[in-house]
Amino acid sequence: MFGNMGEMMKQFGELKKQMKELQKLVVEVSSKGGEVTIKCNGEMKVLDVKIKEDANIKHLPHLVRDTLNQCFEEVKTKSLGSMKGLENLKIPGLN
C-alpha cells in the first residue's frame, strides 16, 4: 500500500511545480486592428485591458469579446503544452 508513496509524492511535487509555472505565464493579445489589447495570466485572470482612444465604439463589445476569447485560447494552448509531461500521473482518486 505504501510502496508507491514515494512515487506519488514525486508526482505531486511535479504537479505543484507545473502549477507555479502556470501562475507565471502571461499572454498578451491584440485585436486585428490593434484597437483592443488584453493581457491575462495562466490562471485565466485578466491583468490588463487597453483600448485605443480612436477605437470604433460601435464594434468595441465585439472586439473586447473576441480578443478576450483569443487570449484565453492562447493561455489554454500554452498551459496544456507545459503540462505535457504530466499525462501519465497516477494519483489515486484522480484517475
Side-chain angles (χ1 to χ4, degrees), residues 1 9-10 20 24 27-29 37 41-42 49-50 53-54 57 60 63 65 69 76 82-83 85 91 93 95:
M1 177 176 174
M9 293 305 290
K10 180 181 170 187
K20 283 186 179 185
K24 295 178 189 176
V27 172
E28 184 172 291
V29 175
T37 301
N41 66 14
V49 176
K50 295 178 184 171
E53 287 184 30
D54 60 345
I57 300 297
L60 194 57
L63 289 171
R65 181 199 62 212
N69 286 336
K76 193 165 59 172
S82 71
M83 303 288 269
I91 299 175
N95 298 59

Side-chain angles (χ1 to χ4, degrees), residues 33-88:
E35 295 98 336
V36 176
T37 301
I38 297 178
K39 187 186 293 187
C40 54
N41 66 14
E43 296 178 311
M44 301 265 192
K45 291 183 180 176
V46 176
L47 303 175
D48 192 28
V49 176
K50 295 178 184 171
I51 300 172
K52 285 189 174 179
E53 287 184 30
D54 60 345
N56 185 335
I57 300 297
K58 185 176 179 182
H59 296 119
L60 194 57
H62 300 292
L63 289 171
V64 170
R65 181 199 62 212
D66 294 346
T67 306
L68 187 57
N69 286 336
Q70 184 181 353
C71 194
F72 287 156
E73 195 61 39
E74 193 168 324
V75 166
K76 193 165 59 172
T77 299
K78 287 184 177 190
S79 62
L80 287 174
S82 71
M83 303 288 269
K84 274 285 191 212
L86 300 177
E87 65 255 351
N88 294 325

